[in-house]
Amino acid sequence: MVKVVDMGDYIIEMLNITKKFPGVVANDNITLKLKRGEIHALLGENGAGKSTLMSVLFGLYQPDSGEIRKNGQVVKINNPNDANALGIGMVHQHFKLVEIFTVLENIILGVEPSKMGFIQKNEARKKVMELSEKYGLRVDPDAYIEDITVGMQQRVEILKMLYRDNEILIFDEPTAVLTPQEIRELLQIMKGFAREGKSILFITHKLNEIMEVADRCTVLRKGKLIGTVNVKDTTKEELSRMMVGRDISFSVNKKEKKPGKVVLSVRNLNVVSKIHGKNVVKNVSFDVRAGEIVCIAGIDGNGQTEIVNAITGLEKPTSGKIMLNGHDITRASIRERSIRGMSHIPEDRHKHGLVLDYKLEENLVLQRYWQPEFQNRGFIKFDSVRKYAEKLIEKFDIRSGQGPVTIVRSMSGGNQQKAIIAREIDKDHDLLIAVQPTRGLDIGAIEYVHKQLVERRDAGKAVLLVSLELDEVMDISDRILVIYGGEIVGELNPKTTTMEELGLYMSGAKRDVVKEINDAGEE
Amino acid sequence: MQERNSLLNKTKFNLKDITDNSVFSSFLSALLAIFLGLIFGFIVMLVAAPANALTGFRLIVLGGFRRIGDVFYFATPILMTGLSVGFAFKMGLFNIGASGQYTMGMFFALYVGFMWDLPDSIHWIVACIAGFIGGMLWGIIPGLFKALLNVNEVITSIMFNYIGMYLVDMLIQGNSVMYVSDKTRTRYLPAEVQIPSLGIPNSNVNLGIILAIIIGIILYIVLQKTIFGYELKATGYNRFASEYAGMKGKRNIIITMAIAGGLSGLGGAFAILAPSAIAGSSMTYEPINIIAANGFNGIAVALLGNAHPIGTIFSAVFISHIQRGGTLASLVGYKPEIIDVVIAVIIYFSAFSMIMNSAFIGFIKRYFGKGKKDFDDNMDNEIKEAE
């Protein structure tokens, strides 16, 4: 069912692009045509070849065959500088900013206006402020990147493109790191660009966003072009079918389940931030029972990360008590917590979850390599490791180029996350802590993660979920704890509450007197 | 038909298997880097003294083969410091203090050699162990600072190079049993404290090189096969993930620096306890306020060997080989300084092996890989025709 809508004036044409990597054809004869002034979504699961295709356009990879045309002329893009010269700019999923430079310095990096070797910052500042005002991209030009929010960092990346007078803007999963409010704002800004006549390529797997802003959508699956459709003639269901190749259930099937005994209990927890020395978790108390999914919901940066770090042992709490299965683990080592039955799917899978330069099999035993099953007098039993890895790869459907010996860095984000989930779920545990487990994943993988979490709950495990996605919070949790400013401001039942009410709690507009509930429940 | 295909597949020389092999590719790139280094070294010699350039260059490149014993003798200490730097590097630590650890190891070995009265059969062994302990002490201190106070190990270990060197010079000058003040060097060590010679004529080469190679192999096994090696490399690759996995990062930093220091110290012991080819003499230490060059050479050795213990063995022998050849080049009128420059150029380019790695392998794949595919296609066609 290849549908192609083809007419009008194209600013960029990528014709029959093929790009192979060892063991995989990342782009197989793909054609993508971008009209002037349109927002063109590029949809596909992780590993479908979206990023490769955009890297070809941006000059990071050379295609094995096929050609790129701009305004009908064949062009050769050997590196990002060539792309820049052609007016192509890109906001990468992982921002490329110098942390210790200011916003202004980052924007002009590489194209600094100078006189006799001296940077003319005032000139640059004027241009940046003009752009910032014109498009509503609020930034503080003198703030350092390491001090500003992710949303503002993204605005800096966008300003970088505008400062270079780019007319073709590539956004690689721009909303993955943003809060709902920031997403709304970004989509408005993108619409503004399109009205100005700029052409936008929007890589995403969030169907709602495509329906909201995109004019046309090109769908890739497993390196192949599935089709290009007009967004106003299609539906979410059709797009997801094109993307995944089968029907996707948007809601989670969950049986009724009565919670059992208390597995994790947190009392009067206070954590002082390592970064700015302020108290970011204030007197937080809650319980998680066996067979329930408790979700901590809130806007990013309200203390969720610190609560989890204190529970998992990555950060020391200043006061309070954490009990796991009746044992006080407030000061226990990370290894002890793990042995006592804690599994942890970390927020940042690249920073904490994986050793990217290790093989897949080495990563799959990261929590267990020291156990008798995998070692003999200090020597690792590599044959057991291999067997175990093969078992997990099979069971959890982890896909990679070379199986157990694949270097994890070369795997797609979704499969990296699957590897972490496989490792943490297969390990003996009573409590599973999952922090934004679906961040940056596509629909197929999100469905998979949700299924696994619910399965854990049904298997009688306690699950603590931290999430910024409201849909996810409402769909899979049994209880919602809303956090605002480091305090739990409300406990909600997803069956009886609404998105709007949840939003009010999350933004701090509404709060319950939760402390008394906790004190009453403590005896 | 099917049988024939499977047979064909067996006999096919699969280039891809080899180019995808990381050990092969890093070895090849090291060779290529060395080759480039030699070319530039030759250019320097041409500029310095064109008339003798060819003879001199031949001496540098091939001269080492004439004195193979000395090549291995001089490779011993830099192999040990190279292993030391490479081992710490696997953990993500830059042990620039190999010189200080080397000097301390030397002093401890000397002290045991002169001051302790031990049976002949084990005297040199105890002296070597003392050298290991001396270096370990000097490695463990920066390790403790790093682990407990998060002080950068580069700064502390550089400072400990100076502290170690001056301390040893002072202690030796103050010890009349060890020091001959009118010759500004230590006395000759008695022959029974010296490491057994391998008996190659006109050479000091001794059991030390064998021990050093064995240690290199042991380190390889530790890094590849043990839990400690697994943790160490994981920490080196990603400190946060190792912490998340419950590894004791601080303890591992201290242990790694202790072992790294010990290896350098052992290098110092091997150097000072080496037998001398001149009867009745031995190696001596001159307390003249100079930081031991063998420590810094160890950094070059480790880099050229890609911090891989086995690679380090080869790179130590190579650098020693070039240095031996260099001393021969003075026979045709090259000043020692020029020879040092040439050697430095060669080593400098050799360190580019990392860059070579990706570029060269890419080149092979692009050109030879394509040719191979055509060849396979032809084969397939032939098979079809046969049908």
Side-chain angles (χ1 to χ4, degrees):
Chain A
M1 44 165 256
V2 175
K3 286 187 189 174
V4 178
V5 186
D6 197 349
M7 53 182 162
D9 122 73
Y10 294 111
I11 185 157
I12 287 284
E13 292 165 272
M14 300 182 78
L15 303 172
N16 308 102
I17 301 289
T18 296
K19 175 73 192 168
K20 292 177 189 157
F21 291 113
V24 57
V25 183
N27 286 160
D28 186 0
N29 196 17
I30 290 179
T31 295
L32 185 150
K33 297 175 171 184
L34 177 65
K35 284 185 195 168
R36 199 178 306 279
E38 77 165 340
I39 300 181
H40 192 123
L42 185 56
L43 177 67
E45 289 197 273
N46 281 319
K50 297 169 298 195
S51 296
T52 307
L53 189 66
M54 287 305 104
S55 300
V56 167
L57 180 57
F58 198 54
L60 294 168
Y61 293 135
Q62 295 307 308
D64 295 328
S65 66
E67 62 181 29
I68 301 172
R69 292 185 188 172
K70 189 187 175 200
N71 296 327
Q73 304 285 320
V74 176
V75 289
K76 188 102 180 76
I77 305 174
N78 288 319
N79 52 49
N81 288 339
D82 290 356
N84 233 320
L86 291 167
I88 302 172
M90 182 160 176
V91 175
H92 297 266
Q93 190 178 358
H94 302 283
F95 302 146
K96 315 252 182 229
L97 297 170
V98 184
E99 296 255 306
I100 53 164
F101 275 13
T102 64
V103 168
L104 181 65
E105 286 164 341
N106 266 287
I107 292 173
I108 62 173
L109 194 67
V111 289
E112 304 87 352
S114 63
K115 252 183 214 150
M116 299 168 70
F118 291 94
I119 296 181
Q120 302 296 306
K121 271 202 189 164
N122 287 336
E123 210 174 288
R125 179 188 304 268
K126 222 177 110 210
K127 186 172 173 190
V128 169
M129 292 322 286
E130 276 169 19
L131 287 170
S132 160
E133 250 160 64
K134 183 172 169 195
Y135 294 104
L137 294 159
R138 292 170 292 104
V139 291
D140 171 4
D142 298 312
Y144 288 91
I145 297 296
E146 55 190 358
D147 297 334
I148 64 179
T149 63
V150 176
M152 194 183 282
Q153 290 182 15
Q154 188 173 52
R155 293 197 283 275
V156 175
E157 285 278 15
I158 298 172
L159 279 170
K160 260 166 82 175
M161 297 195 296
L162 298 174
Y163 186 83
R164 286 159 178 74
D165 298 320
N166 290 325
E167 47 177 352
I168 300 143
L169 313 178
I170 307 172
F171 288 85
D172 188 358
E173 310 255 358
T175 58
V177 289
L178 301 183
T179 63
Q181 288 84 344
E182 286 172 323
I183 291 175
R184 217 165 301 132
E185 204 175 313
L186 175 70
L187 296 182
Q188 285 311 315
I189 290 168
M190 285 168 65
K191 279 185 181 167
F193 289 152
R195 272 197 300 276
E196 285 261 307
K198 294 187 188 294
S199 314
I200 295 178
L201 270 167
F202 177 28
I203 307 177
T204 186
H205 49 247
K206 293 190 182 164
L207 299 170
N208 289 335
E209 292 164 8
I210 294 180
M211 300 309 288
E212 196 178 331
V213 297
D215 300 307
R216 295 194 303 151
C217 176
T218 293
V219 186
L220 304 184
R221 190 200 312 153
K222 289 181 184 157
K224 291 197 168 59
L225 176 68
I226 302 300
T228 301
V229 293
N230 273 326
V231 170
K232 62 175 187 294
D233 304 333
T234 189
T235 60
K236 255 170 81 171
E237 285 70 25
E238 189 190 344
L239 284 178
S240 78
R241 210 162 32 240
M242 287 173 77
M243 168 168 79
V244 191
R246 62 186 164 90
D247 286 313
I248 284 279
S249 66
F250 285 97
S251 60
V252 184
N253 287 323
K254 230 172 58 174
K255 282 177 283 185
E256 276 298 316
K257 178 106 188 166
K258 222 175 156 225
K261 68 177 177 64
V262 173
V263 174
L264 174 75
S265 96
V266 175
R267 288 289 172 274
N268 306 326
L269 188 71
N270 285 287
V271 183
V272 168
S273 163
K274 273 194 253 183
I275 302 162
H276 45 68
K278 285 183 199 138
N279 207 9
V280 280
V281 177
K282 295 166 196 157
N283 229 15
V284 165
S285 303
F286 63 89
D287 287 334
V288 185
R289 293 166 180 275
E292 70 169 348
I293 299 178
V294 174
C295 180
I296 299 181
I299 296 167
D300 199 11
N302 274 287
Q304 302 98 314
T305 310
E306 286 79 9
I307 290 182
V308 170
N309 284 352
I311 296 174
T312 56
L314 289 170
E315 224 168 306
K316 295 254 176 298
T318 34
S319 68
K321 198 170 172 190
I322 303 164
M323 308 273 284
L324 178 61
N325 282 332
H327 295 278
D328 186 348
I329 56 159
T330 317
R331 307 271 154 200
S333 70
I334 295 176
R335 179 65 52 81
E336 187 188 334
R337 289 169 209 240
S338 167
I339 295 170
R340 289 210 185 277
M342 185 186 291
S343 277
H344 175 198
I345 300 168
E347 180 175 4
D348 190 334
R349 54 178 168 267
H350 288 175
K351 186 176 175 188
H352 288 114
L354 296 164
V355 180
L356 289 173
D357 294 306
Y358 263 179
K359 293 172 197 151
L360 176 56
E361 59 180 5
E362 289 170 312
N363 271 292
L364 286 173
V365 295
L366 194 62
Q367 299 278 21
R368 303 186 57 184
Y369 64 93
W370 47 273
Q371 292 177 356
E373 191 184 342
F374 299 111
Q375 66 129 330
N376 184 13
R377 294 170 199 198
F379 283 85
I380 293 184
K381 292 197 268 187
F382 280 100
D383 47 340
S384 315
V385 172
R386 176 67 53 86
K387 260 187 229 138
Y388 180 69
E390 276 164 356
K391 190 186 99 190
L392 289 192
I393 289 170
E394 164 90 37
K395 188 169 156 195
F396 290 88
D397 189 30
I398 306 166
R399 294 188 198 157
S400 59
Q402 294 138 294
V405 295
T406 316
I407 299 296
V408 170
R409 189 182 288 284
S410 71
M411 289 166 51
S412 70
N415 281 302
Q416 290 176 346
Q417 186 74 346
K418 276 187 184 175
I420 295 176
I421 290 172
R423 182 181 72 208
E424 298 303 320
I425 286 182
D426 200 70
K427 167 181 168 292
D428 177 38
H429 67 283
D430 299 315
L431 170 68
L432 176 65
I433 299 173
V435 188
Q436 299 188 42
T438 58
R439 176 155 100 170
L441 301 188
D442 55 61
I443 292 196
I446 289 174
E447 188 193 26
Y448 173 94
V449 172
H450 287 170
K451 218 178 96 209
Q452 295 291 346
L453 291 180
V454 172
E455 218 166 74
R456 288 297 91 201
R457 158 193 182 268
D458 292 344
K461 311 291 184 190
V463 180
L464 177 64
L465 172 71
V466 175
S467 176
L468 307 177
E469 305 267 349
L470 288 190
D471 293 330
E472 178 169 288
V473 172
M474 295 295 275
D475 275 354
I476 71 167
S477 55
D478 295 308
R479 270 196 300 142
I480 303 172
L481 303 170
V482 188
I483 188 162
Y484 175 76
E487 291 175 273
I488 304 258
V489 294
E491 178 176 335
L492 304 171
N493 181 343
K495 289 202 194 77
T496 56
T497 189
T498 60
M499 284 265 199
E500 286 66 34
E501 192 181 7
L502 188 54
L504 286 177
Y505 278 99
M506 281 169 65
S507 60
K510 197 173 170 189
R511 62 185 299 158
D512 296 339
V513 192
V514 185
K515 261 184 204 146
E516 282 171 27
I517 301 171
N518 276 326
D519 290 342
E522 187 160 4
E523 81 265 83
Chain B
M1 182 67 228
Q2 225 168 14
E3 256 174 63
R4 223 196 293 171
N5 265 341
S6 67
L7 269 178
L8 262 174
N9 278 330
K10 262 181 212 159
T11 50
K12 260 181 208 164
F13 169 68
N14 204 340
L15 196 73
K16 195 171 161 290
D17 284 353
I18 296 180
T19 46
D20 280 353
N21 184 324
S22 68
V23 174
F24 171 79
S25 67
S26 54
F27 182 69
L28 203 66
S29 56
L31 281 188
L32 193 76
I34 288 168
F35 181 69
L36 256 184
L38 291 175
I39 292 176
F40 278 87
F42 183 57
I43 293 172
V44 173
M45 294 188 81
L46 270 178
V47 173
N52 292 331
L54 209 59
T55 348
F57 186 66
R58 198 181 306 139
L59 282 172
I60 287 189
V61 178
L62 302 174
F65 290 116
R66 289 196 221 157
R67 305 168 68 179
I68 201 81
D70 272 0
V71 168
F72 282 103
Y73 163 66
F74 284 101
T76 313
I78 56 174
L79 170 53
M80 291 310 298
T81 51
L83 288 173
S84 162
V85 175
F87 190 70
F89 202 68
K90 284 278 178 194
M91 174 100 187
L93 298 169
F94 190 29
N95 178 24
I96 207 166
S99 295
Q101 295 146 14
Y102 177 88
T103 310
M104 284 310 275
M106 213 173 227
F107 173 76
F108 271 57
L110 271 179
Y111 189 87
V112 169
F114 281 111
M115 311 300 284
W116 286 15
D117 202 10
L118 291 166
D120 292 354
S121 55
I122 59 159
H123 203 159
W124 69 272
I125 299 174
V126 177
C128 284
I129 294 171
F132 185 84
I133 293 169
M136 203 165 82
L137 274 178
W138 236 235
I140 211 169
I141 298 171
L144 285 169
F145 275 107
K146 169 84 178 179
L148 304 179
L149 300 168
N150 204 18
V151 181
N152 193 318
E153 78 280 2
V154 173
I155 296 169
T156 32
S157 56
I158 287 183
M159 290 305 131
F160 266 72
N161 282 342
Y162 288 95
I163 298 172
M165 182 263 291
Y166 284 114
L167 188 68
V168 167
D169 285 6
M170 186 188 86
L171 288 173
I172 283 185
Q173 281 166 353
N175 186 319
S176 57
V177 181
M178 291 156 81
Y179 189 56
V180 198
S181 57
D182 56 340
K183 292 200 169 115
T184 64
R185 61 161 172 77
T186 55
R187 271 179 220 288
Y188 291 134
L189 273 168
E192 58 272 13
V193 192
Q194 295 172 16
I195 299 174
S197 167
L198 290 182
I200 293 175
N202 296 324
S203 159
N204 303 329
V205 69
N206 56 69
L207 203 58
I209 184 68
I210 310 263
L211 293 175
I213 290 173
I214 292 173
I215 289 167
I217 294 169
I218 292 175
L219 286 180
Y220 173 74
I221 294 170
V222 167
L223 282 172
Q224 293 300 321
K225 305 284 178 200
T226 67
I227 286 188
F228 178 65
Y230 177 90
E231 291 193 347
L232 189 134
K233 284 188 293 172
T235 314
Y237 283 135
N238 186 345
R239 191 162 55 83
F240 298 104
S242 70
E243 188 191 350
Y244 156 84
M247 297 176 190
K248 296 199 166 53
K250 290 180 175 175
R251 188 199 67 180
N252 285 349
I253 287 176
I254 297 168
I255 295 178
T256 305
M257 280 308 286
I259 293 176
L263 293 170
S264 286
L266 205 49
F270 285 163
I272 200 75
L273 299 176
S276 168
I278 303 159
S281 70
S282 85
M283 300 299 139
T284 55
Y285 179 81
E286 295 177 49
I288 47 173
N289 297 356
I290 290 177
I291 288 189
N294 277 338
F296 293 117
N297 287 341
I299 297 171
V301 168
L303 282 181
L304 181 58
N306 212 354
H308 189 291
I310 306 296
T312 305
I313 295 174
F314 286 104
S315 71
V317 173
F318 166 72
I319 288 182
S320 173
H321 173 87
I322 292 289
Q323 284 176 336
R324 286 316 94 211
T327 53
L328 286 177
S330 61
L331 296 179
V332 291
Y334 279 97
K335 290 203 172 65
E337 286 79 6
I338 287 296
I339 296 166
D340 280 348
V341 169
V342 172
I343 292 171
V345 165
I346 295 173
I347 296 174
Y348 186 78
F349 272 87
S350 306
F352 285 165
S353 60
M354 299 283 204
I355 304 165
M356 298 284 164
N357 201 339
S358 49
F360 187 58
I361 293 301
F363 174 82
I364 288 194
K365 274 190 183 158
R366 214 164 311 133
Y367 291 93
F368 295 89
K370 215 180 197 173
K372 181 191 160 283
K373 192 169 168 292
D374 292 345
F375 173 77
D376 282 357
D377 288 349
N378 286 338
M379 286 292 273
D380 289 346
N381 286 338
E382 274 167 33
I383 293 165
K384 271 186 198 124
E385 276 162 29
E387 279 173 336

